[in-house]
Amino acid sequence: MSFLIRVQLPDSPGTLGAVATALGTVGADILSVDVVERTSGVAIDDLVVELPSGSLPDALITAAESVEGVEVDAVRPYAGVLDTHRELELVEEIAATPKTGLDLLAEGVPRIIRSGWAIVVTPSGDSLQRLASSAAAPEAPITDLPWLPLERATVLDSEAAWIPDTWKELGTELAATPLGKPDRALLVGRPGGPMFRAAEVARLAHLAGIVAVVLDG
């Protein structure tokens, strides 16, 4: 079974190699690595690893944190490998069929930033309208989005009053970005975490900005 493990580690030569070696001692096979963020001597990396049948994901945490200075932010099941260049493919798909562009965006974003789901929302009178949703998006109704209109991409408070209880029970981390206009937003959720890093939010905003130009151009 494959898992996505997010680690914080010293941004120094040899540290990632030491983590790879430690993971190998529990039978983990590293399929792909993505550098999420680098700040002040610390790197945040996402690793997709495959564990042999019968192995517990807790073993990944123990192995990784056996390397000095390494902390595991989260471990969760993950299908496939990291694809850090899918933005261009997604934009090309949307440009080719703009009538279904919002649906393509909602379905494609979770694979790019490793979120669980994505929803495009906008106010509609006294209620809210879902313009598009990914297949895994929760069906719980959203009755209020007090952060709309939204001027810039941001991480949202995961305990705010507007959030459905089922999202809170799953420990869903949230981020949002305007999609061409302040009253239309792309909302992404990551059940169980980890939290969205600044670099991920910037990546989301950049993608939404490009797609908005394609759709509204």
Side-chain angles (χ1 to χ4, degrees), residues 53-85:
S53 299
S55 298
L56 298 175
D58 287 353
L60 297 173
I61 300 175
T62 302
E65 292 188 341
S66 69
V67 179
E68 184 177 357
V70 173
E71 295 182 14
V72 175
D73 279 355
V75 176
R76 59 188 177 91
Y78 189 81
V81 298
L82 297 178
D83 185 352
T84 58
H85 304 288

Side-chain angles (χ1 to χ4, degrees), residues 7-216:
V7 294
Q8 297 188 42
L9 65 163
D11 190 10
S12 56
T15 304
L16 183 58
V19 171
T21 299
L23 292 174
T25 64
V26 297
D29 181 19
I30 298 178
L31 303 179
S32 54
V33 178
D34 181 27
V35 178
V36 176
E37 191 173 76
R38 279 195 167 102
T39 55
S40 305
V42 176
I44 309 296
D45 290 354
D46 279 350
L47 295 81
V48 173
V49 302
E50 190 172 68
L51 273 178
S53 299
S55 298
L56 298 175
D58 287 353
L60 297 173
I61 300 175
T62 302
E65 292 188 341
S66 69
V67 179
E68 184 177 357
V70 173
E71 295 182 14
V72 175
D73 279 355
V75 176
R76 59 188 177 91
Y78 189 81
V81 298
L82 297 178
D83 185 352
T84 58
H85 304 288
R86 241 194 82 80
E87 286 101 328
L88 180 58
E89 294 177 12
L90 180 59
V91 171
E92 289 177 343
E93 290 177 22
I94 292 172
T97 55
K99 289 184 179 180
T100 60
L102 291 180
D103 294 314
L104 291 170
L105 177 66
E107 202 60 52
V109 161
R111 295 194 297 271
I112 292 171
I113 63 167
R114 279 94 64 194
S115 65
W117 49 263
I119 301 171
V120 179
V121 291
T122 190
S124 178
D126 294 329
S127 61
L128 293 164
Q129 181 183 4
R130 291 195 188 200
L131 300 177
S133 300
S134 64
E139 296 181 359
I142 309 171
T143 58
D144 184 29
L145 291 179
W147 40 269
L148 279 179
L150 185 65
E151 295 296 332
R152 63 183 62 86
T154 186
V155 174
L156 300 172
D157 180 2
S158 60
E159 294 297 325
W162 66 269
I163 299 175
D165 290 340
T166 52
W167 300 14
K168 293 180 181 179
E169 291 167 2
L170 293 173
T172 304
E173 298 290 341
L174 299 164
T177 184
L179 187 56
K181 55 191 75 172
D183 62 350
R184 184 176 65 178
L186 174 63
L187 173 65
V188 294
R190 187 180 277 161
M195 63 178 286
F196 287 96
R197 311 291 303 190
E200 293 179 295
V201 176
R203 186 177 182 184
L204 183 67
H206 182 65
L207 176 60
I210 294 173
V211 169
V213 171
V214 172
L215 292 178
D216 299 336

